[in-house]
Structures are given as C-alpha cells and as structure tokens.
Amino acid sequence: MIEHISAEKLAENAKKEYAALKPRIDAGDLKPAERMKIAQQIMPAGEPKVRARQMTEVALGYTEEQAVVEANRCLNCKNMPCVKGCPVNVQIPQFIMEVAKSNFKGAVDIIKQTNLLPAICGRVCPQEKQCQGECTVGKGLKDAEKAVSIGRLERFVADWERNNGKETVAAVAPATGKKVAVVGSGPAGLTVAADCRRAGHDVTVFEAFHKEGGVMVYGIPEFRLPKSIVANEVNNLKKMGVNFRTNFLVGRTETLEQLLNEEGFDAAFVGTGAGLPKFLGIPGENLIGVFSANEYLTRANLMKAYEKGKADTPFYEGKVVCVVGGGNVAMDAARMALRLGAEEVNVIYRRTRNEMPARREEIAHAEEEGVIFKFLENPVEALGDETGHLKAVKCLSYELGEPDESGRRSPVAIKGSEHDIPCDVLIVALGNSSNPLMAQTTPGLNTTPRGNLIVDENQKTSLCKVWAGGDIVLGAATVILAMGEGRKAAASINEYLSK
C-alpha cells in the first residue's frame, strides 16, 4: 500500500519545488532533460480512515504551485500523442503550456473549445488509459503512471475558473429555427446539447429522473464527483439556452416518434445509457440483502439515502458487505458501503489485482480506506437464513489459465475449494446492459443481439432524424468515450440540419 502523505505536506513540498523552478520558468529555458527530472506531483487526498466515513470529496485537487510544477513536466511534443489518445481531441499541450505560465483562465478556455465538462472529466475519466497512456514523458521514464498528470491539471483549471468566478457562457450562433431533442442527460446527451446549441439550434433535453446528469448523478458517488459540480455544468448549459424537461421518460411519457412527428423536433439524439444491471445467475440472488450496484448506488447518490432522517428513500444497512466485481462501479459500491456504516467490506474478484479493470487510483483509495480484496474467488451461491435474509456467500477459489478474448488470463475453478464468506449484504457489480425501452417503443430502430443501438460512423441510427451514442451504443463505457460519441453525433446533426 502506498504511504499516505498529508495535503499540507504535499503543498509545502510543492512551494519549495516551485520556488526553485520559478527563475527557469520565467526565463522560459527549461530543457526537455530538465523537465523529465521534475518529480510528478502527487494528488492530495483526505486522511483515509476519516474520509472512509464521510461523503466529502476524497481527492482534494492541486494547489497553484503543484499545478504549475506538474505542467512544466510537459515536453510540448510537436506530434501531440496525448491528443490522439483523447476521445474529444482536447488540445492538451496548448492548455498545459498555459498552466505552466500560470495563465489558468487561458488554459481552461482552450479545453472548452472541445470539452465543456472539464471539471467532470478531470475527476472521473481514465486518463491513464487514454491521453496519459500516450504521454512521451511516461514512455521516456518507462512508467506510464509517471506520465504528465493531464487529468489533474484539467480538474485544477476547471475548479480555479469556477471558484474564482471566471466562468463564461459559450457563444451561441444565431437561431436556425431548428429543434433538436436529446434523450438522456448523461455525458453523451449533455455534449450533444452543448454542440447543437452552439450551432444555434433550439435544444431540449429529456431526462427520466428528477435531476439532470444521468450516470454522473445516480452512478458516481459524491466522494468522487460532487453533485454540485454536475449541477453547475448543467446550469451553464441552461445559461446557453438549453431546455431541460425532467421526469420525462421517452418511450412512456411520449415515444420518440411523438417527439419527432407531433412536437416538431427536426432531429433526435438517444443517449439513454446502460441501465439494465447484470446478475450472477446463481441460487439465492432473490434473498433479502442482495442488490445490483445500480440500485445500491442510485439510492445513495441520487436519493441521498445516507442522510438519515432527511432522505425519503431508505437503504439496507449491513454490517458485513461483499461486492462482486473488479471495475470502477465495484470500487464505488465498496467505498459507499463503508460510508453507509458497514463494519467490513470485501471485494470478491475472480482474477488478480493485475487484471482488475478499475482505475489504479480507485483501487488504491479503496485499499487505503480498509476495503478487503479477495482475489481469485467467485460466488456460486447466496446462502440465506430461515427468514429469507442473506447470511453468507459460497465461493469457489480460482487459478489463472490461458488468456481470453480480451487478453486477460481466464480464471479456472479449483475443484473442492468451496468456502463460505459470512455477510449480510451482497452487491453485484458486473456491469449493465443497454436500456431496452427505446428499441421496444420505436419501430425500425435496429439493435445488436445484446440490445445496443446500431449506428454508423457518424452515430446515425437506422431511422431518419435519429442519432445515438454513449452506453446505449457502446454498452457500459466511460464518461469521456460517451462524450466523444456525442461530439461526433452533434457534428453530424448540425451538418444534416444545415442542409
């Protein structure tokens, strides 16, 4: 486990590093070899045992000195490999060079040319697998985790802009008289709404829940992405003139055909996400105390069930919690269980730590907070007591065999290794399938056998006037990949409407 260093100590160290670098930064003569020697700035975080019982944000963000020091690690590569790794093509070297000169407003303005949600992306996107995975610094140091901290810098400038009252509303072109319907207010939908509104179209976003934000409010916990930040980004779109209609379930309140044919929308984008949870398919999954991560997190995040005595929705209190899965959602569920009062939380994963798809940072944070990892194990039965409540999970032990289609080594069960793990809550975090409602209520909307909407290279569906993107197309993916699809769809919609 990595040693926890207090935010105060990190800030103190950064001030010293900044003071030492300042003359060279001002002179503008830092050589690439010198930049490679600058130590990567560690992200400050709350004290693990304290934060594990609080809903406040865990990662605290860089100080100004940390941001400037980290930005000066960038080599400003002419071929910009980091940009190629970004699904929305943020001009990364340019914005980082502005941070390096302490021009934070200039930096965030560059980001917002292609990404209007930097405060969100800077917090939850897997930069280590995308832009930072292509970083020359990380490759030069032969350690991808030592790449320039692009996501942390993106978060810093977005927070700086918001906290200093420097936010500006994106410019909107003259009205075109065209109407665009956006179904779903997750990252894909908000991106389409922003880009279509900037083109001058009248945009209305339809959201099934009572709050805007999609997976960013119901799926990602407060301690990783404060809901006030999502609300602020939505409010910025409202200032641009984007309309939002909540408690509106397209396919039930009205169909997609009705929006197009009766309400007069000229184009529609479907970004309804992947809201159908997958289960283990083992005996006992109907016991009291067994939940999908989807329901568990929605109750806690969107409904704020953790506010005992205030929230209208209850949550199921457990002392010993088991979470099945190895992705970010599993980490979110496990860490949320601690904050809801669990005395012990176990993550059960059928491969090893090396194969876990969750972000390294999230795994490290969970471990710091006391989550117990049980690798090479998997449930085969949920065991209940005489009242129908969960009392334990029967598991098998595994060993790794040959790689599967994804390149990860396949787990192979060890005969006779059955064992019970006592618990009173089991959370299944194995991913989600695409929401089937849209296809069921929209004739002619083609899907894959798994229920994902089929689109072309421009995100166009089988229906005229209808585009789609995000998890409804990809299956469960990431915020930034959904935004990338949203940008492609919006460009295609704008081109279609211009003709």
Side-chain angles (χ1 to χ4, degrees):
M1 185 184 297
I2 299 173
E3 178 188 359
H4 178 76
I5 305 173
S6 71
E8 293 76 17
K9 183 65 175 176
L10 291 172
E12 181 184 332
N13 292 344
K15 284 183 178 180
K16 293 177 181 177
E17 292 176 88
Y18 176 76
L21 280 172
K22 185 73 164 60
R24 302 299 307 281
I25 294 172
D26 291 343
D29 63 352
L30 271 172
K31 301 294 188 294
E34 294 174 293
R35 294 180 184 276
M36 293 286 286
K37 292 179 181 178
I38 299 173
Q40 184 186 48
Q41 296 299 295
I42 299 171
M43 172 65 89
E47 199 285 317
K49 298 305 178 186
V50 174
R51 75 187 193 220
R53 302 297 178 180
Q54 298 176 342
M55 294 299 293
T56 50
E57 192 169 12
V58 168
L60 303 177
Y62 279 161
T63 63
E64 290 191 12
E65 291 86 358
Q66 281 183 299
V68 173
V69 171
E70 183 65 26
N72 275 281
R73 297 180 67 229
C74 178
L75 302 177
N76 195 21
C77 306
K78 300 307 177 188
N79 61 340
M80 301 187 293
C82 51
V83 177
K84 297 173 186 174
C86 175
V88 294
N89 296 119
V90 169
Q91 297 304 294
I92 294 167
Q94 288 92 322
F95 103 73
I96 290 181
M97 285 300 103
E98 296 307 314
V99 179
K101 296 182 291 187
S102 299
N103 180 15
F104 306 136
K105 177 58 177 169
V108 77
D109 286 345
I110 290 171
I111 296 171
K112 286 191 172 182
Q113 291 172 6
T114 52
N115 177 9
L116 283 180
L117 306 174
I120 293 170
C121 291
R123 283 171 164 82
V124 302
C125 288
Q127 290 93 1
E128 65 278 3
K129 296 179 181 178
Q130 295 170 340
C131 54
Q132 290 173 201
E134 301 297 326
C135 176
T136 304
V137 173
K139 291 182 177 180
L141 295 172
K142 297 182 180 180
D143 185 349
E145 293 188 6
K146 296 297 183 183
V148 176
S149 301
I150 298 167
R152 294 171 181 176
L153 292 173
E154 181 179 35
R155 167 188 166 150
F156 169 79
V157 295
D159 288 356
W160 181 91
E161 180 190 44
R162 185 180 66 257
N163 295 334
N164 287 278
K166 302 290 186 180
E167 287 185 301
T168 51
V169 178
V172 175
T176 63
K178 302 294 185 181
K179 293 173 60 179
V180 179
V182 176
V183 185
S185 65
L190 294 185
T191 300
V192 172
D195 285 2
C196 287
R197 181 62 191 141
R198 283 201 276 201
H201 308 312
D202 187 314
V203 179
T204 300
V205 180
F206 296 89
E207 171 54 50
F209 280 133
H210 60 287
K211 288 184 181 178
E212 306 93 340
V215 70
M216 297 179 292
V217 294
Y218 74 74
I220 303 175
E222 181 81 14
F223 56 81
R224 200 151 70 86
L225 177 61
K227 301 302 160 265
S228 60
I229 289 175
V230 180
N232 184 73
E233 302 288 21
V234 169
N235 193 48
N236 287 335
L237 293 184
K238 291 178 178 178
K239 290 177 182 178
M240 290 172 61
V242 175
N243 304 302
F244 287 85
R245 293 174 69 177
T246 55
N247 297 308
F248 194 108
L249 180 58
V250 176
R252 288 287 182 265
T253 311
E254 286 185 27
T255 64
L256 190 58
E257 288 180 308
Q258 286 176 303
L259 294 180
L260 293 168
N261 299 328
E262 296 177 17
E263 294 212 23
F265 283 96
D266 300 287
F269 173 80
V270 179
T272 49
L276 190 65
K278 297 177 182 177
F279 282 91
L280 288 157
I282 61 174
E285 274 190 301
N286 60 343
L287 288 168
I288 299 169
V290 180
F291 299 91
S292 69
N294 226 10
E295 178 185 353
Y296 190 81
L297 289 171
T298 298
R299 285 179 178 274
N301 296 331
L302 182 67
M303 308 301 292
K304 295 187 177 180
Y306 58 85
E307 293 184 341
K308 297 179 182 179
K310 294 182 181 179
D312 290 331
T313 189
F315 68 88
Y316 191 81
E317 298 191 50
K319 292 183 178 181
V320 180
V321 176
C322 284
V323 179
V324 184
N328 289 327
V329 174
M331 298 306 104
D332 288 343
R335 298 171 68 195
M336 180 63 78
L338 286 175
R339 287 157 175 81
L340 294 181
E343 297 172 5
E344 178 184 310
V345 178
N346 303 282
V347 169
I348 302 172
Y349 183 58
R350 62 181 187 151
R351 291 182 172 91
T352 71
R353 180 190 299 271
N354 292 335
E355 287 80 34
M356 291 186 82
R359 298 184 69 187
R360 299 297 98 184
E361 184 177 63
E362 301 307 320
I363 297 170
H365 281 165
E367 195 169 41
E368 285 180 345
E369 292 168 8
V371 172
I372 300 166
F373 287 88
K374 295 184 179 294
F375 296 112
L376 293 170
E377 298 186 27
N378 204 48
V380 292
E381 185 177 359
L383 306 174
D385 62 18
E386 62 279 358
T387 66
H389 289 74
L390 179 73
K391 69 175 183 179
V393 175
K394 182 183 291 293
C395 292
L396 274 178
S397 295
Y398 288 75
E399 58 187 3
L400 291 182
E402 295 301 314
D404 63 12
E405 293 177 358
S406 68
R408 291 187 297 172
R409 292 174 65 190
S410 301
V412 180
I414 299 173
K415 292 182 179 180
S417 63
E418 292 90 345
H419 57 282
D420 296 348
I421 302 175
C423 62
D424 50 5
V425 171
L426 173 63
I427 302 170
V428 182
L430 300 177
N432 298 306
S433 301
S434 296
N435 190 321
L437 180 61
M438 197 61 56
Q440 291 173 352
T441 60
T442 311
L445 195 58
N446 293 343
T447 67
T448 68
R450 292 187 175 185
N452 300 334
L453 298 190
I454 297 173
V455 298
D456 66 13
E457 67 278 5
N458 296 313
Q459 306 300 132
K460 184 83 170 57
T461 70
S462 54
L463 291 178
C464 180
K465 301 184 180 182
V466 180
W467 287 254
D471 288 359
I472 189 68
V473 171
L474 297 169
T478 64
V479 167
I480 194 68
L481 284 175
M483 290 176 63
E485 294 214 326
R487 291 215 75 212
K488 283 196 296 181
S492 180
I493 292 170
N494 290 337
E495 181 183 7
Y496 167 77
L497 295 179
S498 70
K499 296 176 180 179

